[in-house]
Amino acid sequence: FGHVAIRHACEGATTELRSIHKEASERVAQHRLRNLSLELSYKMLQDQHMPTLAEAVKAVPSVEKLHLYCNQLTDISALLEVGLAGALPSVREIYLNQNKLSNAAVSALAKAIEEGAFPKLDGVELDDNPATNKAEVKEALAKRNTFSA
């Protein structure tokens, strides 16, 4: 029963992401939206959902806050690729608390920040992840902010 429930939740998350992408595309076409917050916490998102999420957020470049906490993410490379491509220039905060991010994922995030992803990023929440190198992200943000000042 547990596997069936998880599969249904994952299918629901994928459907919800596609719906968000469609709605966001329509809204962006109608208006120039500002100060947007994308709330996808507690959605049981897994790594296989990240490419769909990355495509969805590209449609809304004015997103300032990405709430992705309390999911099951271990790999955020698709999101980092979108950030490095300059598709999310307005993101100021990313919440990745209570996922399953490894040291490799956190290092990749720090490297992406150093390479210019998410140029307005002020903060990243990484609490309650298995990674032990969370300070790398704070150092990358501090280093970038020092150079841009």
Side-chain angles (χ1 to χ4, degrees), residues 13-111:
T14 299
T15 301
E16 186 171 345
L17 286 170
R18 287 188 180 125
S19 173
I20 288 168
H21 179 249
K22 182 178 181 218
E23 181 181 338
S25 297
E26 291 169 358
R27 288 178 138 191
V28 168
Q30 293 173 358
H31 311 288
R32 287 192 64 78
L33 300 175
R34 290 183 166 49
N35 304 321
L36 292 178
S37 180
L38 182 58
E39 175 58 65
L40 290 171
S41 301
Y42 298 99
K43 300 292 183 187
M44 294 186 72
L45 294 178
Q46 297 178 354
D47 296 340
Q48 73 252 24
H49 299 116
M50 291 309 290
T52 305
L53 172 62
E55 284 300 311
V57 297
K58 282 196 309 191
V60 193
S62 56
V63 169
E64 290 190 5
K65 296 179 183 178
L66 291 175
H67 295 271
L68 299 169
Y69 53 88
C70 293
N71 284 298
Q72 299 174 13
L73 303 174
T74 64
D75 180 9
I76 54 173
S77 60
L79 183 63
L80 300 180
E81 289 171 18
V82 170
L84 284 167
L88 292 170
S90 300
V91 171
R92 294 184 180 280
E93 300 170 17
I94 301 175
Y95 299 90
L96 291 163
N97 318 39
Q98 298 180 17
N99 277 286
K100 297 178 180 181
L101 298 179
S102 65
N103 286 345
V106 170
S107 291
L109 175 57
K111 184 178 179 192

